[in-house]
Amino acid sequence: MSATTLVVAPARRVPLWARLTLVVAGLILLPIAAVLAAAIAPAGEVWLHIWRNSLAEMLGTTGALALLVALMAGSAGAVTAWLVTACEFRGRAFLQVALLLPLAMPAYVSGYAWTWLMDVAGPVQGSLRGATGWRYGDYWFPEMRSLHGAALVLAMVLYPYVYLLCRSAFLAQSTCLVEVSRTLGHSLSRCFWRVALPLARPALVAGLALVLMETLADFGTVQHFGLRTFTTGIYEAWFGMADRGAASQLAAALLFCVALLLALEQASRGGRRFHPMTTRHAPFRPVQLTGWKAGLAALGCALPLLLGFIIPGGALFALMIEAGDPLSPSRFLPFLTHSLTLAAITAVLAVLLAAWLAWAARLYPSAASRWANRAAGLGYAIPGSVIAVGTLVPFGLFDNALDSWLRATFGVSSGLLLSGTIAALVFAYLVRFLGVALSSVESGLARLKPSFQSAARSLGCGPGEAVWRVELPLSRGALLTAAILVFVDTMKELPATLIVRPFDFDTLAVRVYNLASDERLAEASTSALLIVLAGLLPVYALTRAMKRS
């Protein structure tokens, strides 16, 4: 009777550089852990005052704002995506690309432009009084500085998230389903409600989750519109009341809201799958519209573009021509230099870290590498104000501990080595935007066949050499896209910059905020337009990618 010997292949050894990805994940989670730890501390007088007088208002305003933005952005994104996908009308080719332009417009910049246009002393009401002879109080006019006005501004710059995902979902659907629905007597609008939209539900929910997270993270818009939300409360507690404990506890409450939102988004899927049973179907054929239907479709697609980009962009340009920033180029240059420097450093570091994490998970897949990548991408779901508080708390503890030790041991003071420095600000940016870079790099690597790595290894290349000589050149597009997206997001970031930046180290975003806070919107228009122009780069990259696909 013969015996069978079981030979177990030795496990592949994971190198040190791949295992160090857990360290990166731990550093990304450090601000979140710091906020939660600080929130456990006993409540002080400031927190008790907020709890009794302001917390209910913050919670109600934040919830109402999120609901309104979700309804408006979801409707605008889903409807426009369906119209440019399922219908053929004049201007469709231009609109399906131009609908992405509001991505380049920061919400607070659009809010500044809209308040200037619609305020009592603005051009719209001024022209109305000049044409009718009315005085202020003789007529009704919608109040722009309100909850509904802020929701409209946020929705019109955030709907492209829903538009992009829903349009991709509609394009992937089988045209047979729509044609069968049409043969059963359904109109095109009924096909949208009964067939296309239910199948695109995961894309719609994912887009709305991004919209809601950006809404919860917004500071400049709600502060300018005079709304009390969690983000404005964190800023007031930190700077106005000088209570870091209360700011941390508010940040923890906002973090709980974000976690609840992510949990609801995950639970809404319910383990269900929404995909065709086969990929062998004819491409989606748009229906030709004529007459008033074509005009209505074009108007429906043009309206979000007008509200989200063309009107506020035109207002900023008019303000700049009329009375732009009075600073001389030599005094204005530091703002631009600071913004470009921070954005460039953050973009380079984010791409390097994202490539490190992505290739470690690709070459040495394990539960630990998957956990590390998910933890590294968590920062994008956390508002910038929360990350800022979570960054300064541990950095401040380290600086104080080091300074105390040096004083006791050597009689010298180290001062602040990390708190209030460029290093702390870049770290906050990395925590916030590393998920953007990681998502782009991972999607680029997902398009590379595993056989590329195998072929290079069979020719004598090691894992690192195969990545450097084969996979890295093929992933240059994804790496470049990641760098551009992080660069522009860093240029637009306001809450983290306001809280963490070094003293007298202002960026274009801070310059816009300071001038707008003093109601000097015309002077703020120059810096705002520069931020918008920088934001057009990733939009151009997205449009080229859409055309290629």
Side-chain angles (χ1 to χ4, degrees):
M1 187 173 181
S2 60
T4 303
T5 303
L6 179 63
V7 179
V8 179
R12 186 167 52 160
R13 181 178 177 272
V14 179
L16 179 61
W17 69 267
R19 285 182 287 177
L20 286 177
T21 55
L22 295 175
V23 177
V24 176
L27 290 175
I28 296 300
L29 292 176
L30 181 62
I32 302 173
V35 168
L36 296 177
I40 300 175
E45 294 183 2
V46 173
W47 170 250
L48 292 176
H49 172 77
I50 293 174
W51 175 271
R52 294 167 184 163
N53 302 292
S54 305
L55 189 61
E57 180 187 359
M58 292 180 188
L59 183 60
T61 303
T62 302
L65 181 66
L67 179 61
L68 289 173
V69 173
L71 290 174
M72 287 189 281
S75 301
V79 171
T80 54
W82 173 251
L83 288 174
V84 298
T85 303
C87 305
E88 182 66 57
F89 52 90
R90 180 173 295 181
R92 169 180 173 266
F94 167 75
L95 286 170
Q96 66 184 2
V97 174
L99 281 166
L100 291 172
L101 289 177
L103 280 176
M105 180 72 68
Y108 56 88
V109 170
S110 179
Y112 299 156
W114 274 108
T115 51
W116 173 76
L117 282 171
M118 307 297 284
D119 271 352
V120 176
V124 175
Q125 292 198 51
S127 299
L128 179 63
R129 292 192 296 269
T132 59
W134 293 337
R135 295 182 179 181
Y136 178 70
D138 295 340
Y139 59 93
W140 176 85
F141 198 83
E143 178 59 47
M144 194 66 196
R145 292 178 185 262
S146 63
L147 177 66
H148 296 83
L152 178 65
V153 168
L154 285 167
M156 291 302 101
V157 298
L158 295 177
Y159 80 84
Y161 289 112
V162 180
Y163 167 79
L164 269 174
L165 295 176
C166 284
R167 184 162 184 265
S168 299
F170 292 147
L171 288 171
Q173 293 175 6
S174 172
T175 188
C176 304
L177 297 174
V178 177
E179 291 177 353
V180 169
S181 179
R182 296 296 301 277
T183 58
L184 294 176
H186 290 174
S187 64
L188 199 59
S189 60
R190 194 171 179 83
C191 290
F192 168 69
W193 287 109
R194 299 293 298 273
V195 179
L197 191 60
L199 288 174
R201 181 174 174 271
L204 176 62
V205 172
L208 286 176
L210 291 174
V211 168
L212 289 174
M213 285 188 289
E214 290 290 339
T215 302
L216 293 177
D218 181 80
F219 170 76
T221 309
V222 294
Q223 194 273 343
H224 186 68
F225 279 67
L227 302 180
R228 288 186 61 82
T229 62
F230 276 112
T231 50
T232 57
I234 292 170
Y235 188 81
E236 291 171 5
W238 189 279
F239 288 100
M241 303 178 184
D243 192 325
R244 296 191 176 189
S248 299
Q249 287 161 334
L250 279 174
L254 181 55
L255 188 60
F256 173 77
C257 294
V258 172
L260 180 62
L261 176 63
L262 293 176
L264 290 175
E265 190 273 333
Q266 188 73 23
S268 67
R269 302 181 186 182
R272 289 168 289 185
R273 297 173 181 266
F274 298 76
H275 60 79
M277 298 302 294
T278 177
T279 58
R280 308 179 77 177
H281 55 74
F284 210 108
R285 293 191 296 269
V287 177
Q288 181 68 48
L289 299 182
T290 57
W292 66 270
K293 292 184 178 180
L296 189 61
L299 178 62
C301 292
L303 188 59
L305 177 64
L306 285 169
L307 297 177
F309 184 80
I310 295 178
I311 292 179
L316 290 174
F317 185 77
L319 280 170
M320 186 187 68
I321 296 299
E322 177 185 347
D325 202 315
L327 293 181
S328 61
S330 60
R331 294 183 60 194
F332 188 78
L333 187 60
F335 301 111
L336 180 61
T337 303
H338 294 164
S339 294
L340 293 177
T341 302
L342 289 172
I345 293 174
T346 305
V348 171
L349 292 178
V351 171
L352 290 176
L353 290 175
W356 179 13
L357 292 168
W359 261 292
R362 178 179 175 86
L363 296 177
Y364 306 99
S366 65
S369 62
R370 289 192 300 269
W371 180 88
N373 285 14
R374 289 176 183 175
L378 184 63
Y380 190 64
I382 309 301
S385 54
V386 176
I387 292 175
V389 172
T391 298
L392 289 182
V393 168
F395 281 24
L397 292 175
F398 173 81
D399 285 340
N400 291 332
L402 179 62
D403 183 71
S404 299
W405 181 78
L406 289 176
R407 285 177 181 271
T409 307
F410 302 103
V412 296
S413 174
S414 61
L416 297 178
L417 297 179
L418 296 178
S419 302
T421 63
I422 294 179
L425 185 55
V426 170
F427 176 77
Y429 287 152
L430 287 174
V431 175
R432 179 82 170 90
F433 300 122
L434 182 57
V436 178
L438 185 59
S439 176
S440 179
V441 174
E442 285 182 334
S443 64
L445 291 183
R447 292 191 292 267
L448 298 183
K449 295 181 179 180
S451 57
F452 293 163
Q453 176 77 211
S454 302
R457 298 289 298 276
S458 65
L459 294 175
C461 294
E465 188 179 3
V467 169
W468 181 260
R469 299 184 62 180
V470 179
E471 293 188 335
L472 188 62
L474 295 174
S475 305
R476 283 180 298 184
L479 297 174
L480 180 61
T481 301
I484 292 176
L485 290 175
V486 174
F487 182 90
V488 177
D489 279 341
T490 305
M491 290 278 293
K492 296 190 296 183
E493 175 62 29
L494 181 60
T497 310
L498 283 174
I499 297 176
V500 185
R501 79 187 193 278
F503 176 75
D504 200 24
F505 190 88
D506 291 344
T507 62
L508 288 175
V510 175
R511 174 70 174 170
V512 171
Y513 169 77
N514 289 336
L515 292 175
S517 299
D518 296 336
E519 298 298 332
R520 298 159 64 186
L521 296 178
E523 298 178 26
S525 61
T526 306
S527 300
L529 279 176
L530 285 176
I531 297 175
V532 174
L533 289 176
L536 289 175
L537 291 174
V539 174
Y540 175 71
L542 284 173
T543 55
R544 292 197 60 178
M546 290 176 61
K547 288 181 179 179
R548 286 196 300 267
S549 62

